[in-house]
Amino acid sequence: MNKNGNQLTKEEILVIADTIKGTTFKEISYKYGNKGGFGLVIEEVFCINPNSRPLPDFEEAGIELKVTPYKINKNGTLSAKERLVLNNINYKNENLTDFHKSSFWKKNETMLIIFYLFDELKEKRDFMITNHLLHNFSENDLKIIKDDWRIIRDKIKNGEAHNISEADTLYLGACTKGVNSKSLVGQPFSTTIKAKPRAYSLKTTYMTLLIRKLMSKEKIEKIFDEKIETSFENQMRIKLNRFFGKSQEELKNIFKIRSNAKNINELLLSRMLGLKGKVSKSEEFLKANIIPKTVRVEEDGHIVESMSFPTFEFSKIINETWDDSELRDYFESTKFLFIVFKKENDVYVFKDIKLWNMQISILDKQARDVWEKTKELIETGHIIKRISGKRRFTYFPDTTFNGVCHVRPHAKDAEDTYELPVKDILTGVEKYTKHCFWLNNTFIKSIIS
DNA sequence: GCATGATCATGC
DNA sequence: GCATGATCATGC
């Protein structure tokens, strides 16, 4: 074997990668010496020294080495266990003018990704390396990643490095990277506000798709076989152009859909984009973690309904802190595609689409306030305010609380409940109708217009 | 008329 | 059976 990993050729690297396929970390470190973490063990195999240089690990071959876990879900599908964390972003030194000169591109243009199977029932040293992939970004992925990079770059340029959210971008993220959430670093375009240290990363959902394409046979449809020329959102708009202005009924006729399912609009969008399956199961939506949502606008421009999200468990929320809460994680990692229908001459007409994610400043202020208030009410048993006939009114934050979101029932019926960790003071009930966080209709209107 | 509680329709 | 997406319905 070559003594210096930096000098290995691509072919030599792939040969070595083949030799560790099907082995556990225990077996490898027995053979090569145990230097600690998984990444270090693998670097030992390839005779490269840990470094944080701006160049790829295999300098000559131009390949960066990555080691990452995946898992088998309860339903048998595979998922990445975590995002793939790449190089740190040095806010002050990053090249902010040219993507091809950025630290991201210089280091990660080509990656050898080694996958190991995570299993919570096993000890870490028994995890097995099962696959590897020499990864180059496809043309369309690269287009999207360049746009993502510009979004991150613009935040830094605008002195907004502290407001970067993973959901701002589609595939390439800028994840926080610090010993704890309190460590902060300076940023070049703001003298007053420090930001969390961050690293480039490929989103968990992006990694999941890589894994499924590599290891499972399931067919995943792509929205874009053609080259993406403009932004992802605009490219979809171009595809949808001939359907704007058509009513729901017209669209149902065009695609011969008879269903009255409540997700009919997602089905229609899928057909309009030329997909056989659902748009939420398309490669692009899965990779970027985009959830489609219907918005109905009335003739005068107002929106009647607020927007629901998955329910939360009362007993879970009280054991969370905001920073590690399910709600924060959800809005920090999820993008939404609003499918906008507007009422015209008594029918709802397909108007437009809009990609949206909650900005960090709103997430960590208004959404947090609603969450903290909700947690406090559950902890103290202040749930029911009064009862009126069959209806039970609660203390949960309502639409007037701060104009962004509120808490309301979201269940099959009133008897569809989760346990309350603390009995309700007024009635003594120990379980309550499932609730979720809702985005206010007025807030959605402000996003759409 | 709007806010808030309640519930529907479907698919997995 | 239930999560999900969506909308209905009551009463203030």
Side-chain angles (χ1 to χ4, degrees), chain A residues 140 144 221-228 231-237 239 273 275 284:
Chain A
N140 274 351
I144 286 172
E221 279 189 287
K222 265 194 240 169
I223 299 174
F224 297 119
D225 286 321
E226 69 272 28
K227 192 174 158 191
I228 298 176
S231 72
F232 177 73
E233 186 177 0
N234 265 330
Q235 196 75 38
M236 276 198 287
R237 235 177 238 122
K239 243 182 148 133
L273 288 169
L275 298 168
E284 292 90 342

Side-chain angles (χ1 to χ4, degrees), chain A residues 44-61:
Chain A
E44 189 67 24
V45 174
F46 289 95
C47 303
I48 51 180
N49 297 316
N51 74 84
S52 51
R53 290 170 311 155
L55 296 169
D57 293 320
F58 303 109
E59 211 174 307
E60 291 286 309

Side-chain angles (χ1 to χ4, degrees), chain A residues 68-112:
Chain A
T68 196
Y70 68 98
K71 58 184 182 179
I72 302 174
N73 302 315
K74 284 186 189 125
N75 64 8
T77 57
L78 304 177
S79 288
K81 183 166 174 287
E82 52 204 46
R83 58 175 72 79
L84 186 68
V85 181
L86 309 171
N87 59 303
N88 290 327
I89 305 174
N90 185 323
Y91 298 127
K92 288 181 174 159
N93 293 344
E94 182 60 282
N95 185 305
L96 299 178
T97 52
D98 185 349
F99 171 82
H100 289 103
K101 289 181 182 157
S102 70
S103 62
F104 162 76
W105 189 246
K106 280 192 199 159
K107 198 160 171 66
N108 307 297
E109 178 179 353
T110 304
M111 288 182 277
L112 176 66

Side-chain angles (χ1 to χ4, degrees), chain A residues 375-416:
Chain A
K375 181 181 170 184
E376 179 199 317
L377 292 169
I378 298 166
E379 272 171 340
T380 56
H382 284 91
I383 308 291
I384 301 175
K385 189 191 284 175
R386 66 189 171 84
I387 297 177
S388 166
K390 258 183 76 181
R391 308 174 78 192
R392 301 174 298 178
F393 290 79
T394 70
Y395 289 106
F396 287 126
D398 60 22
T399 48
T400 62
F401 188 79
N402 62 22
V404 172
C405 56
H406 62 279
V407 171
R408 244 166 72 198
H410 185 194
K412 190 179 165 292
D413 53 40
E415 275 70 54
D416 185 14

Side-chain angles (χ1 to χ4, degrees), chain A residues 357-382:
Chain A
N357 62 282
M358 189 179 282
Q359 62 194 70
I360 287 287
S361 52
I362 289 179
L363 179 60
D364 280 339
K365 176 63 184 144
Q366 284 92 336
R368 177 181 185 157
D369 288 345
V370 169
W371 183 91
E372 299 278 9
K373 177 75 183 169
T374 302
K375 181 181 170 184
E376 179 199 317
L377 292 169
I378 298 166
E379 272 171 340
T380 56
H382 284 91

